[in-house]
Amino acid sequence: MEVKQTNRLAGESSPYLLQHKYNPIDWYPWCDEVFKRARTEQKVIFLSIGYSSCHWCHVMAHEVFENEEAAALLNEHFICVKVDREERPDVDHLYMEACVALTGSGGWPLSLFLTPEGYPFFAGSYFPLSAFLSLAGKVARLWQERRTDVQKASDQVLGVLSQSIKGASWQETLPQRAFEALRSIFDRENGGFGPAPKFPSVQMLLFLMRFSMCAHNDEAMQMVDRTLEQMALGGLFDHVGGGFFRYSTDEKFLIPHFEKMLYDNAMLLLVYAQAGRLKTAAQVYDFCVRSLMSPEGAFYTALDADSEGSEGGYYLFSYEEAKQILGDEAEPFCRWYDITSAGNFEGKNHVNLLKHGPLKEKEEQTALSAIEKLFAAQAKRALPARDDKILLSSNGLMLAALSVYGAVTGSETVLAQAQKLADFLYVHMRKGGRYYASFCKGLSTHPATSEDYVYLAFGLLHLHQVTLEQRPLAACLSVCQELLALFADQDGLLFMAGRDVKDIPIRTKDTYDGALPSGNSLAAEVFYRLYLLTGEETYRQAFDQIKKALGGQAQAHPTAYTALMSAVLFSQKGLRVELSKNCFHALHGYYPFVCFVESESNETHGIRICRADCCLASVSGPAELERILQAYGKTGQLKEESIE
């Protein structure tokens, strides 16, 4: 039996890096040795960044990185480095910013050529074999013949990446402007924003939910409802196995890229639970627990898009196959779920309800039986590969989502799972007085970024708010103290990498809200909530600094800062409610505009509702409080606002 030769990646724990351990390329993981060798030999660094569930990463791997000619070229002229973007988001962010500066766009796989000092001078994404061979040859010649020009180009990119962010006073009209901008690109027929490809963009939906309440704007909530409905009806949602795929390749939310990411499903569980769409929320929750939860109660990172060499193969059914599996239920089910002989994806069918619309009550029993049969048939197929890293950032979001879902449903089981997850993060994601970004195969690796810390704080804060237990709050305060000490710049913004991280050439700041809220935007919300809870001015100042520092960028691009605007709306409408634990446990549901604080009394009366700067009339008991808070969640108005 032939024994394949491995490269340096064989000693790594990342599933993505291990996918490349048999490549004929002399890959390095990201490490100091790369730069030492590059400087000694005066060679260009070729940097490839991706993640395990990325379809086009797999395509480039098979076409280029497994090719002997490409490997020979790379090994002779370059020092080659592979990075898992999920393990090193600070490295990924730096070089994605460089790619955007050089080309105007970015994506994965991310391909860059760097000087021996790590400064980028050429960047791109996916390259087919012929194009890559031509490009690598040209770069090698360019480095030999025009090295001064290359270094000048890298200096220009470095200048762009090193530019400071110019702050500006916050304009109170910004949330209205963001709403109007979202309304202008809202797809009224299909839901979502802009043309294909369409992402869930949960932070935009959460902003619109808050804006609807704060501005008494029904249209904003209608945009949310339409988008949530269409995503759940379409193929972005897995109607057989539950959970959402990464994004839709078309404007209708019909055909996705088939990877399933924990962070997407955590955010979608959060928004569907808050919106009261509990049927979809339950299916997302069930998928996450069944397919991504580890035995210890933490959650793995992703399921691959590909299986058995084809994208989406695990999820697709031919018409004949569906008829054979479903028997007597085939005719109505295929009609409802758009399963046809022509198919909707490469001759096969990705089930969806876009044409039929929501199932009627009498149709649901037949559909449930048919789905169980399709699920059983899928289980006999080769499963998509699972990325079994446990990421601090994604699990922080999942902690928040479980907390909210548990509160909305009143499920003690879900809240117990949230607590178990928090316990895992306390113990396994921390060593030597610092949190780490990734846990895989028993190892905690790579110092956590500011985003990791913020997402963890966000999750702990939500767990505290739905249990009123003190341990999550104490942990959240500790996380935020470390966050400010390790990452805060003089302008109040957070660097991605901590001041103790020495292996990247430039520390950058993630400021705009992309597929997920930026660490700075979410930190603003966490800081203001902690200010309401504790009264500590440090947190209010931290919130104000972020708001001011990003004011200019938000004016220029309001839709890129919707998570920050959500934090600002919370600062305008957030309430502090002081009450006993007995009273707290008598409440039902989740109140997104409230910070609950345990009072010293165990009585069910003496409840106080406060704003940041004043307290309002006391409330007699939990029933009256629940009525007031439910009305406030809809109108943003308290019936009585007399100051004591």
Side-chain angles (χ1 to χ4, degrees), residues 82-102:
K82 258 291 172 193
V83 168
D84 182 339
R85 67 172 288 257
E86 295 167 337
E87 280 195 328
R88 291 302 304 262
D90 50 350
V91 174
D92 176 61
H93 184 263
L94 166 61
Y95 291 108
M96 184 62 75
E97 291 283 291
C99 183
V100 172
L102 284 163

Side-chain angles (χ1 to χ4, degrees), residues 164-165 483-495 499 507 509 520 545:
S164 60
I165 296 170
L483 175 69
L484 291 170
L486 282 169
F487 302 96
D489 196 6
Q490 292 181 347
D491 60 3
L493 293 178
L494 305 170
F495 285 108
R499 61 185 76 256
R507 287 203 302 159
K509 299 169 184 174
N520 278 284
Q545 281 186 297

Side-chain angles (χ1 to χ4, degrees), residues 237-253:
F237 180 67
D238 181 359
H239 292 266
V240 177
F244 283 88
F245 299 103
R246 182 73 190 90
Y247 65 90
S248 172
T249 61
D250 56 80
E251 74 280 1
K252 296 180 180 180
F253 288 119

Side-chain angles (χ1 to χ4, degrees), residues 294-437:
S294 74
E296 301 85 1
F299 290 82
Y300 299 127
T301 296
L303 294 184
D304 207 333
D306 297 11
S307 59
E308 297 186 300
S310 66
E311 184 186 8
Y314 182 78
Y315 303 100
L316 303 173
F317 294 91
S318 70
Y319 180 62
E320 292 302 322
E321 185 183 16
K323 285 176 61 178
Q324 184 178 359
I325 293 169
L326 299 179
D328 293 342
E329 295 167 343
E331 191 281 325
F333 186 87
C334 290
R335 177 162 37 86
W336 300 336
Y337 282 87
D338 192 27
I339 298 176
T340 66
S341 56
N344 55 25
F345 184 74
E346 298 180 353
K348 292 190 176 182
N349 294 276
H350 183 46
V351 298
N352 69 94
L353 284 167
L354 286 173
K355 291 181 180 177
H356 179 275
L359 292 173
K360 300 177 178 63
E361 186 176 350
K362 62 182 180 181
E363 296 169 339
E364 287 188 344
Q365 187 172 355
T366 298
L368 181 60
S369 172
I371 283 171
E372 289 175 351
K373 293 176 181 177
L374 293 177
F375 184 76
Q378 274 185 342
K380 298 174 184 177
R381 300 173 175 177
L383 290 167
R386 183 171 64 189
D387 186 323
D388 60 357
K389 295 191 308 294
I390 293 169
L391 295 175
L392 182 59
S393 57
S394 299
N395 277 270
L397 294 177
M398 191 61 184
L399 179 57
L402 287 175
S403 299
V404 172
Y405 180 63
V408 170
T409 59
S411 171
E412 292 297 328
T413 298
V414 176
L415 293 178
Q417 288 172 330
Q419 183 59 65
K420 186 176 181 181
L421 172 57
D423 291 340
F424 179 94
L425 301 179
Y426 297 144
V427 174
H428 294 287
M429 305 300 290
R430 186 173 176 81
K431 63 179 182 181
R434 199 195 198 289
Y435 280 98
Y436 276 70

Side-chain angles (χ1 to χ4, degrees), residues 5-31 34 48 65 80-84 87 441:
Q5 186 173 352
T6 59
N7 55 42
R8 291 177 180 83
L9 300 183
E12 296 298 303
S13 61
S14 158
Y16 175 65
L17 298 186
L18 290 173
Q19 288 172 359
H20 296 267
K21 68 180 180 179
Y22 293 120
N23 291 170
I25 296 170
D26 186 19
W27 289 117
Y28 281 85
W30 185 268
C31 60
V34 168
S48 175
F65 302 143
C80 301
V81 185
K82 258 291 172 193
V83 168
D84 182 339
E87 280 195 328
K441 299 175 177 62

